[in-house]
């Protein structure tokens, strides 16, 4: 069976680096949405809470239900609002706010420039009035940067917009609200972190997606994908392997199939430009749904331990490589 191994030491290394940036482990919210970017939500929630993380961020109620007991608060980014003292809800447009239940913990997402979700800055005063008039429980106010991982001035004006948001909320006399705007990239590039929380995803998993002039903090990927040998055979020179026979043996060779494929979420790619596994061995021919062929007889092979390298091969980003891995794959914590 294919296995995903999660390195506890690397995770704790990354969390330490992030806590140095934020000034405190209490200020880090672990972003565990989408099955913890494919790492396994329950396992990751357990590991980070054991380390001392008290805040989490997920996409929906189903994810929150799996982990909320381990955290002081879990922010749900997109689902029906429920009245749960351990769960807060992102409000992404003003109409939702108008119908929000009293008592539920609400976090206003303000659109400071990304134009994807969030109430407009021009609607902020109206939103605060609704909160006061309806006696709603405003727990947080936050935003999300569109270009935190680009080496441009984009980040600066959006940050300035969020400073303005903070002033408006404070002027409205609403107190005990937590403010947060940073994701991994913006926390890593930030010189003086002064907010209540940073919502950290990809950096915790060990990837720094910042362009080189901004890259400083060393992070260690925590996930590796392993596969086991299913069967071996000898190929005579000229014999072909797999669907379409795309790989032609240049010489007599011993190959084995390993039990991972695109059904597990490993990208199928182009057999003319094969993925080279961790041990330097190319995938031979086309990847199947559940199997790949490799010139090895080892019982267990590491397919990759760095999703960023793999993402370059497939012309995407590290996020997509790990998030694509199916939840059914066995997960194991290693040191
Ligand atoms: C996914 C997400 C994050 C985490 O982003 P990373 O780049 O992985 O750190 C933070 N905030 C919001 C609103 C998100 O949707």
């Amino acid at each position: 069976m294919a296995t995903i191994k999660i390195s506890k030491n690397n995770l704790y290394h990354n969390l330490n680096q992030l806590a140095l940036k934020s000034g405190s482990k209490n200020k880090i919210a672990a972003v565990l949405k989408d099955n913890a970017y494919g790492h396994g939500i329950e396992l990751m929630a357990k590991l980070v809470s054991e380390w001392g993380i008290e805040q989490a961020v997920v996409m929906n109620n189903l994810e929150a239900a799996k982990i909320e007991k381990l955290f002081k608060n879990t922010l749900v980014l997109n689902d029906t609002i429920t009245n749960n003292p351990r769960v807060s809800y992102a409000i992404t447009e003003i109409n939702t706010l108008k119908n929000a239940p009293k008592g539920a913990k609400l976090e206003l997402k303000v659109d400071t420039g990304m134009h994807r979700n969030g109430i407009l800055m021009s609607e902020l005063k109206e939103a605060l009035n609704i909160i006061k008039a309806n006696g709603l429980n405003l727990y947080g106010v936050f935003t999300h940067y569109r270009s935190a991982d680009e080496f441009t001035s984009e980040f600066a004006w959006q940050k300035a917009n969020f400073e303005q948001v903070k002033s408006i909320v404070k002027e409205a006399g609403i107190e005990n609200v937590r403010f947060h705007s940073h994701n991994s990239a913006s926390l890593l590039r930030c010189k003086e972190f002064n907010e209540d929380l940073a919502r950290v995803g990809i950096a915790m998993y060990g990837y720094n997606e910042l362009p080189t002039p901004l890259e400083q903090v060393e992070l260690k990927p925590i996930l590796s994908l392993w596969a086991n040998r299913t069967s071996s055979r000898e190929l005579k020179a000229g014999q072909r392997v797999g669907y379409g026979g795309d790989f032609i043996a240049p010489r007599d060779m011993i190959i084995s199939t390993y039990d991972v494929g695109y059904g597990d979420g490993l990208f199928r790619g182009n057999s003319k430009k094969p993925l080279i596994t961790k041990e330097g061995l190319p995938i031979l021919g086309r990847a199947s749904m559940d199997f790949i062929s490799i010139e090895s007889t080892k019982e267990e092979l590491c397919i990759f331990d760095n999703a960023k390298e793999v993402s370059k091969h497939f012309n995407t980003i590290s996020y997509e490589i790990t998030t694509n891995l199916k939840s059914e794959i066995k997960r194991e914590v290693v040191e």
Side-chain angles (χ1 to χ4, degrees):
M1 257 203 304
T3 308
I4 285 171
K5 296 185 186 176
I6 300 293
S7 162
K8 191 166 158 173
N9 287 340
N10 288 3
L11 171 65
Y12 291 176
H13 165 87
N14 299 337
L15 289 172
N16 263 314
Q17 296 299 310
L18 293 162
L20 286 172
K21 275 276 172 189
S22 71
S24 155
K25 54 170 82 170
N26 303 337
K27 291 197 166 189
I28 298 174
V31 180
L32 299 170
K33 66 189 180 192
D34 295 87
N35 199 28
Y37 293 30
H39 291 65
I41 185 168
E42 278 150 316
L43 176 151
M44 284 299 303
K46 185 164 173 288
L47 287 175
V48 302
S49 70
E50 281 170 2
W51 188 79
I53 297 284
E54 297 174 343
Q55 303 288 337
V57 181
V58 296
M59 194 47 67
N60 53 43
N61 284 331
L62 198 65
E63 291 178 338
K66 289 180 184 165
I67 63 159
E68 46 128 323
K69 284 187 190 67
L70 296 172
F71 299 98
K72 279 193 178 156
N73 186 76
T74 297
L75 164 61
V76 169
L77 292 171
N78 185 38
D79 211 333
T80 312
I81 301 172
T82 68
N83 216 325
N84 180 337
R86 305 182 82 93
V87 179
S88 61
Y89 287 88
I91 299 290
T92 54
E93 64 169 16
I94 200 152
N95 286 331
T96 318
L97 189 63
K98 287 176 186 156
N99 302 313
K102 257 192 196 166
K105 288 164 89 176
L106 309 177
E107 299 207 55
L108 264 194
K109 175 147 189 194
V110 184
D111 178 3
T112 54
M114 185 164 176
H115 304 328
R116 182 181 65 175
N117 277 322
I119 65 154
L120 306 180
M121 286 180 69
S122 58
E123 294 169 333
L124 184 56
K125 283 189 180 140
E126 186 191 347
L128 296 171
N129 286 337
I130 295 171
I131 287 164
K132 285 196 224 166
N134 295 0
L136 300 176
N137 177 5
L138 184 65
Y139 182 69
V141 174
F142 74 108
T143 195
H144 195 47
Y145 298 116
R146 75 175 190 195
S147 304
D149 57 356
E150 290 166 15
F151 191 45
T152 62
S153 58
E154 291 269 322
F155 181 52
W157 61 253
Q158 227 190 320
K159 244 170 73 172
N161 280 349
F162 193 56
E163 290 306 318
Q164 206 185 325
V165 167
K166 290 179 192 170
S167 312
I168 295 170
V169 175
K170 284 176 189 157
E171 277 162 25
I174 299 180
E175 281 168 4
N176 296 324
V177 172
R178 64 178 196 175
F179 291 101
H180 47 108
S181 65
H182 294 281
N183 67 348
S184 297
S186 58
L187 177 66
L188 290 173
R189 73 186 286 181
C190 171
K191 297 209 176 56
E192 269 178 51
F193 180 81
N194 60 3
E195 292 186 347
D196 301 312
L197 203 67
R199 306 179 306 268
V200 177
I202 201 71
M204 178 173 74
Y205 303 109
Y207 303 100
N208 187 338
E209 290 282 344
L210 289 179
T212 327
L214 290 169
E215 195 153 331
Q216 295 155 5
V217 179
E218 194 219 350
L219 301 169
K220 300 179 180 176
I222 69 170
L223 176 149
S224 53
L225 177 66
W226 296 74
N228 282 297
R229 192 183 69 83
T230 301
S231 71
S232 301
R233 67 209 58 245
E234 187 180 5
L235 279 188
K236 294 290 181 196
Q239 281 189 315
R240 296 166 170 232
V241 177
Y243 289 114
D246 276 11
F247 176 76
I248 306 171
R251 54 186 155 74
D252 294 356
M253 59 199 291
I254 309 282
I255 64 161
S256 304
T257 55
Y258 289 87
D259 59 357
V260 71
Y262 63 83
D264 299 289
L266 179 68
F267 284 22
R268 180 170 170 276
N270 174 354
S271 63
K272 301 282 185 284
K273 248 188 68 195
L275 178 70
I276 311 293
T277 63
K278 168 69 182 165
E279 292 166 52
L281 303 166
I283 292 175
L284 305 176
R286 292 183 203 167
S288 301
M289 195 180 291
D290 298 297
F291 297 108
I292 52 176
S293 298
I294 289 181
E295 186 180 16
S296 174
T297 52
K298 273 195 178 176
E299 285 305 317
E300 192 186 38
L301 269 191
C302 181
I303 307 303
F304 70 81
D305 65 0
N306 185 326
K308 195 165 176 185
E309 284 168 9
V310 177
S311 74
K312 286 184 192 142
H313 179 81
F314 291 113
N315 200 15
T316 178
I317 51 177
S318 54
Y319 298 74
E320 194 182 13
I321 298 297
T322 60
T323 306
N324 208 43
L325 296 171
K326 298 289 186 286
S327 60
E328 292 82 0
I329 303 174
K330 186 176 65 181
R331 265 82 173 162
E332 195 180 300
V333 178
V334 295
E335 281 304 306

